[in-house]
Amino acid sequence: MATILVVEDEKPINDLITMNLRLVGHRFFKAFSGTEVPSILERENIDLILLDVMLPGLDGFELMRQIRSLNIPVIFITAKDSLADRITGFELGADDYIIKPFEILEMLARINVVLRRSTKEQSALIIDDVEFRPLERQVYKLGSAVELTAREFELLEVLVQNRNIALSREKLLELAWGYDYEGETRTVDVHIRQLRKKLGWEERIKTVFKLGYRLEVPGER
C-alpha cells in the first residue's frame, strides 16, 4: 500500500480521512498547515498528497506551486467548488479534485485510480496463501494461477481495496458493476460464493448483516 500525506487543517476531517486510510492498509502522515509540508517531504517518501486548499500560513494552491517539481501525485480535497478553482487546481498539476462534503468510499476509489496511474501503488498484495496482483489482473493461490472471470476479479479488487470496511450489496454493485447496473442485487451473493470457493476463503469473506460484505485479512503481509 501507499504512504499518503494528508494536509487538512480541520482535525475531525483529517482524523476521519486517516482513520479510513489505515483501515484499507495505507500508511499516512498528517499536516494541519501548508508550512508543515516541505519538511515532511524532505524526511519521508510520500506517494500521494491529499491537499486542502484553504490552509493557514500557506494555502494549497501556493503550496502546489512550490512542490509540483517533485512530481508527487496530488488530490485536492476542498470546499472551493467553483469552476475557476477546479481549473486552477488542474492547471497547477493536480491529479484529481474532490469537493467537500464527499463520501469516504469515493475518496478511496479516487486514491486507487491516481496511485495506479502513477504506478506507485504496490504491485502485489499477499493475503495468507493468496497473491493478488492488480496491475497484472492476476491472482495466485499457493503459486498457482486462479481463474477468475472479469467480474469476479473486479469484485475481489473492490473488496481488497476496501478491506475492513463493510460494504452493502448496493455499494458493491455501484463499485464493481457500475452505476448503470439494473439487475438483481443478489447477484453479489453468487459472485461472493464463487470467490470463496475458488480462493478457499469460506471463513474470510463474511456477510455482515445490515452492513454488507467485508474482507478480513489478518494474515496480510
Side-chain angles (χ1 to χ4, degrees):
M1 289 286 106
T3 300
I4 298 174
L5 174 59
V6 180
V7 190
E8 166 60 64
D9 64 315
E10 295 185 50
K11 189 176 185 301
I13 297 177
N14 200 315
D15 289 345
L16 176 65
I17 292 172
T18 53
M19 177 186 71
N20 283 277
L21 292 178
R22 180 188 293 114
L23 281 174
V24 299
H26 293 303
R27 296 179 65 244
F28 62 83
F29 291 90
K30 294 183 177 184
F32 297 92
S33 69
T35 53
E36 298 174 55
V37 172
S39 61
I40 296 175
L41 296 181
E42 287 179 4
R43 299 192 313 266
E44 307 296 340
N45 184 21
I46 301 298
D47 297 316
L48 173 69
I49 301 173
L50 300 180
L51 180 59
D52 190 12
V53 174
M54 295 180 287
L55 293 167
L58 187 68
D59 71 39
F61 288 156
E62 183 56 36
L63 177 62
M64 185 68 184
R65 293 185 179 95
Q66 295 185 15
I67 66 174
R68 61 182 171 183
S69 61
L70 299 176
N71 294 319
I72 300 173
V74 173
I75 298 176
F76 279 113
I77 298 181
T78 176
K80 294 175 73 66
D81 62 351
S82 72
L83 177 60
D85 287 323
R86 294 198 297 274
I87 290 174
T88 297
F90 286 121
E91 287 181 340
L92 288 172
D95 293 81
D96 205 345
Y97 198 103
I98 302 176
I99 305 299
K100 299 177 184 176
F102 54 87
E103 288 193 22
I104 286 295
L105 289 176
E106 178 187 3
M107 180 198 72
L108 294 175
R110 292 187 181 218
I111 286 172
N112 290 329
V113 169
V114 172
L115 288 173
R116 280 199 298 271
R117 188 186 307 149
S118 68
T119 70
K120 289 188 176 183
E121 185 180 36
Q122 183 174 313
S123 59
L125 179 68
I126 298 175
I127 304 171
D128 288 349
D129 57 2
V130 172
E131 183 177 2
F132 177 68
R133 300 182 184 179
L135 298 181
E136 301 173 24
R137 293 184 67 83
Q138 295 290 331
V139 177
Y140 295 86
K141 183 176 178 64
L142 296 173
S144 298
V146 179
E147 295 296 329
L148 298 180
T149 66
R151 188 65 72 199
E152 288 168 351
F153 184 90
E154 289 159 3
L155 178 58
L156 178 62
E157 185 173 31
V158 169
L159 288 167
V160 169
Q161 289 173 348
N162 297 282
R163 58 195 180 280
N164 302 321
I165 295 178
L167 301 173
S168 66
R169 291 185 182 90
E170 290 75 15
K171 181 57 68 174
L172 282 173
L173 284 172
E174 177 183 314
L175 295 174
W177 271 256
Y179 288 90
D180 57 351
Y181 182 80
E182 297 180 354
E184 169 59 51
T185 60
R186 292 288 174 177
T187 190
V188 173
D189 299 31
V190 175
H191 285 78
I192 289 289
R193 284 197 296 270
Q194 288 298 108
L195 283 175
R196 285 175 172 171
K197 182 178 180 180
K198 291 182 177 182
L199 299 177
W201 282 358
E202 285 81 0
E203 297 302 321
R204 187 60 56 79
I205 301 175
K206 299 181 177 180
T207 302
V208 182
F209 296 104
K210 298 184 180 179
L211 293 177
Y213 291 101
R214 67 184 173 196
L215 178 65
E216 298 178 349
V217 287
E220 178 187 337
R221 63 181 184 275

